[in-house]
Amino acid sequence: MSYVDEVFQAVSRHNPGEPEFMQAVREVFDSLKPVVEQRKVYRDAGILERIAEPERQIVFRVPWQDDKGKPRVNRGIRIEYNSALGPYKGGIRFHPTVNLSILKFLGFEQVFKNSLTTLPLGGGKGGSDFDPKGKSDGEVMRFCQSFMLELQRHIGPDTDVPAGDIGVGAREIGYMFGQYKRIRNEFTGVLTGKGLKWGGSLIRPEATGYGAVYFAEEMLKTRGETFKGKTVAVSGSGNVAQFTTEKVTELGGKVVSMSDSNGTIYDKDGIGDQKLRYIMELKNVKRGRIKEYAEKFGCEYREGANPWSIKCDCAFPSATQNEISGKDAAELLKNGCMLVSEGANMPSSPEAVSLFVEKKILYGPGKAANAGGVSTSGLEMSQNAQRLSWSREEVDKKLNSIMVAIHKQCVDSAREYGDAGNYVLGANAAGFVKVADAMIEQGIV
Ligand code: NDP
């Protein structure tokens, strides 16, 4: 049995009942076979065994009171995965499905993603099974304060710097930052995604979506193509989906779908700027359902469906993990889809990934394509440390050049390891080598 398979089996035995985590490890390990084959030093240094094990996992009780005065309790988790390249960095997710398996998969992916950004960032992830949906602002605030009461012991601007993710946007970051400041009596860049008036960076809200489109633009260039005239399917209608739609539209593409966990809208005329403003108000302020868009603009609504049966040239999964099954992927390919750029983390199932790679479409995996968010968080940290704030144009330009650099690393590394055009191999190998080399230089720690 190969070294990679041996370690995979050991990791598998060590982490029973964690399917999402093992799915992420399998994908990365499979890509690393040619790398580990070529560089025996990684085996000698036990890098795969060490890289798969988080440096620290913190699990805690989060008690809070609802509006009726009833005591409630949720579980809080922070996975401090790997600090070889810098302080732990990664988002916080509030969603009822959150558990150790999901946060470990996200943390593991984050390590390689952050390495690809070229910025000095380690990897981490956190969250809670708290569901902000249907909660009042007061309830969300009390929950965030309780969550931070414990989390603050473990984080800091040079230790661990969380950000947003599913269910954690500007409102939640604000409540958590306020609580951290009150407890620690210090105003530091301990969280990113902060409000613009108090340390946030311009373009951070836009960064993941814009970045996924910039990455896709680079992939299209390799085939002499652009977004002009392309029909695009986007899933989700949260932060990533909204700014993906905005940028695709700006570059001349037509976005025909968005979705939420209840269903999908199919607007053949395209979700142009004005309609997108309606969605932003609906989702970020009124916290309504995407179905209301179909009622307002008279387009088709598909209850309980995802967008993948809609005919499109490009797909941007921007909702959640495993949202594209093997069957969905086959449907996308049958309808002529030639590009998939993952705004979400691990949205494609292993069967879908295999199909995309086999059919040689332009397939940008999340750890490369959605790295614009954490990159701009890194830029927010730099601005906080210097007590400066850069202009919108400046940050957007830096974001674009980071995405171009990530794309180039993927292309070069895929070629180096013998499968040109395979962005999965390229992203995993390029992200891994930097972390692994740093771990070797830092000794067995
Ligand atoms: P938001 O909470 O802003 O939006 C999430 C969207 O996805 C909502 O429309 C939500 O619908 C939908 N969704 C969530 N869970 C499911 C589900 N189980 N089935 C169907 N739809 C679902 O989150 P973000 O936009 O921030 O994150 C989206 C994805 O992008 C995640 O995978 C996240 O990890 C990834 N990502 C985010 C980054 C960021 O900077 N925010 C950075 C890098 C990656 P509903 O409202 O009905 O729940």
Side-chain angles (χ1 to χ4, degrees), residues 77-97:
I77 304 175
R78 184 75 184 163
I79 310 289
E80 296 185 332
Y81 221 110
N82 191 302
S83 60
L85 298 182
Y88 309 107
K89 179 93 198 85
I92 292 181
R93 175 177 293 191
F94 291 163
H95 194 271
T97 56

Side-chain angles (χ1 to χ4, degrees), residues 93-95 97 105-106 110 113 125 131 133 163-169 204-205 207-209 235-242 259-263 283-284 288-289 317-321 323 342-347 366 370-374 377:
R93 175 177 293 191
F94 291 163
H95 194 271
T97 56
F105 115 63
L106 288 164
Q110 194 83 44
K113 179 190 307 189
K125 199 81 189 189
D131 187 359
K133 242 182 260 154
D165 191 77
I166 292 178
V168 177
R204 176 61 189 90
T208 307
S235 67
S237 47
N239 172 271
V240 179
Q242 291 171 15
S259 65
D260 62 22
S261 50
N262 294 107
K283 286 291 172 183
N284 309 345
R289 309 309 299 159
S318 312
T320 194
Q321 63 274 358
E323 56 170 308
E342 295 184 341
N345 284 308
M346 207 168 76
N370 71 36
V374 72
S377 278

Side-chain angles (χ1 to χ4, degrees), residues 1 5 19 25 60 101 110 198 245 272 301 355 379 432 437 440:
M1 195 187 294
D5 287 332
V25 175
F60 51 98
S101 173
Q110 194 83 44
W198 41 278
T245 300
Y301 174 68
L355 263 180
L379 301 177
F432 168 79
D437 290 350
I440 290 174

Side-chain angles (χ1 to χ4, degrees), residues 109 112-114 116-117 206-219 227 240 244 315-318 339-348 362-376 399-400 402-408 410 423-424 426-428:
E109 292 275 300
F112 306 105
K113 179 190 307 189
N114 292 4
L116 285 173
T117 65
E206 293 88 341
T208 307
Y210 280 17
V213 180
Y214 292 150
F215 191 87
E217 217 185 359
E218 290 306 299
M219 292 200 290
F227 272 110
V240 179
T244 294
F316 284 78
S318 312
L339 177 147
V340 175
S341 185
E342 295 184 341
N345 284 308
M346 207 168 76
S348 306
L362 297 169
Y363 167 57
K367 65 171 74 62
N370 71 36
V374 72
S375 302
T376 310
L399 167 64
N400 186 277
I402 291 172
M403 296 315 295
V404 170
I406 293 175
H407 179 267
K408 183 169 182 323
C410 294
Y423 288 88
V424 178
N428 285 331

Side-chain angles (χ1 to χ4, degrees), residues 225-277:
E225 301 242 22
T226 69
F227 272 110
K228 288 230 164 59
K230 296 266 185 313
T231 299
V232 176
V234 173
S235 67
S237 47
N239 172 271
V240 179
Q242 291 171 15
F243 290 106
T244 294
T245 300
E246 185 171 275
K247 187 52 81 177
V248 166
T249 308
E250 190 189 314
L251 296 180
K254 181 165 83 169
V255 176
V256 294
S257 78
M258 286 175 86
S259 65
D260 62 22
S261 50
N262 294 107
T264 292
I265 51 161
Y266 180 23
D267 187 342
K268 290 191 177 109
D269 300 330
I271 303 169
D273 273 345
Q274 268 192 347
K275 290 172 174 174
L276 180 61
R277 295 302 134 208

Side-chain angles (χ1 to χ4, degrees), residues 135 137 171 237 242 277-288:
K135 303 288 190 303
D137 284 351
R171 173 181 64 169
S237 47
Q242 291 171 15
R277 295 302 134 208
Y278 171 85
I279 290 182
M280 287 177 168
E281 171 81 10
L282 176 70
K283 286 291 172 183
N284 309 345
V285 182
K286 293 190 187 142
R287 301 189 190 273

